[in-house]
Amino acid sequence: MPGHFITFEGIEGSGKSTVAGEMYSRLREAGIAALLTREPGGTPVSEDIRSILLDPARSELSAAAELLLYLASRAQLVSEVIGPALEAGRVVLCDRFFDATVAYQGWARGLGEELVRDLNSFAVAGTLPELTFLFDLTVEEGFSRGPEERESSGIRKLDRLEREGREFHRKVREGYLRIARRETGRVVVIDASLSLDRVLAEVWGNIRNRLGLNV
Ligand code: TMP
């Protein structure tokens, strides 16, 4: 594919969405045709699926149905948005992608990493990120600046996944770190406990190198 596909991963409160947004702005300022999207979501169908997945009232959702909904959302996003953008030579930034399914459903939910990888291959039909940033920090720190903070300040209620206990989220973190250990060429682990400025500098440096930018 002529474009570049970069993903941002991490537990709740790791700051990945803020960094993805800032990277998008910097690329655009540098005159690069970039696109920022997110998972689950990014197309009308995928945003509908997102609302089912995150609805705290949908506590009956089975683990298998949850997995397949994430994959359905992804299949649509890849065919409608990511694939065409990469074909057109754009730089696609995606806030979460298939590593999230390996970490959340495969490892933390216990459905199995291999199964998730196999089903994912079908969903994305060969569209895989070349560079992934994993924003790593403890669950305690992540929750203190993420979901719990938002709930206690009345900004919004916890979503279905955020309601899972801390043990679940510790497993998610472990699942992500397992991926990073296995795929050192693709996954760059960022210490998300550092200041935002340092995190931004590190991520931007990696993107500039990967894209060969002189900005
Ligand atoms: P967000 O909070 O980054 O918008 O992500 C939505 C939630 O969905 C978050 O709790 C992580 C979860 N998730 C999965 O469990 N599996 C997936 O494949 C993806 C993309 C997200």
Side-chain angles (χ1 to χ4, degrees), residues 12 16 39-40 50 54 70 74 96 100-101 104-105 161:
E12 325 287 331
K16 64 182 172 45
E39 278 217 329
R50 177 185 178 92
L54 300 187
Y70 276 112
R74 178 162 310 134
R96 294 194 190 279
T101 325
Y104 281 78
Q105 282 67 48
L161 271 290

Side-chain angles (χ1 to χ4, degrees), residues 27-80:
L27 286 168
R28 299 288 297 227
E29 274 162 29
I32 306 230
L35 181 127
L36 173 63
T37 188
R38 70 165 179 183
E39 278 217 329
T43 73
V45 165
S46 310
E47 290 290 335
D48 282 354
I49 297 173
R50 177 185 178 92
S51 55
I52 298 173
L53 279 165
L54 300 187
D55 184 354
R58 289 276 164 262
S59 58
E60 75 276 23
L61 199 62
S62 77
E66 177 186 90
L67 167 64
L68 293 168
L69 284 172
Y70 276 112
L71 293 169
S73 162
R74 178 162 310 134
Q76 188 63 31
L77 180 66
V78 167
S79 74
E80 194 178 326

Side-chain angles (χ1 to χ4, degrees), residues 152-211:
S152 62
S153 43
I155 297 172
R156 73 160 169 79
K157 294 257 174 258
L158 294 182
D159 69 36
R160 200 177 55 82
L161 271 290
E162 288 162 352
R163 275 164 202 250
E164 294 290 341
R166 292 201 175 196
E167 203 39 53
F168 177 84
H169 290 279
R170 271 191 273 277
K171 280 201 200 144
V172 172
R173 181 187 185 201
E174 199 178 287
Y176 271 133
L177 290 171
R178 287 169 62 86
I179 298 167
R181 278 196 294 273
R182 203 170 32 226
E183 292 194 60
T184 48
R186 173 175 67 90
V187 182
V188 178
V189 181
I190 303 289
D191 179 351
S193 67
L194 297 175
S195 71
L196 180 60
D197 278 351
R198 283 188 63 183
V199 167
L200 290 172
E202 204 174 322
V203 174
W204 182 234
N206 270 279
I207 292 180
R208 284 173 55 215
N209 279 346
R210 184 65 65 124
L211 305 187

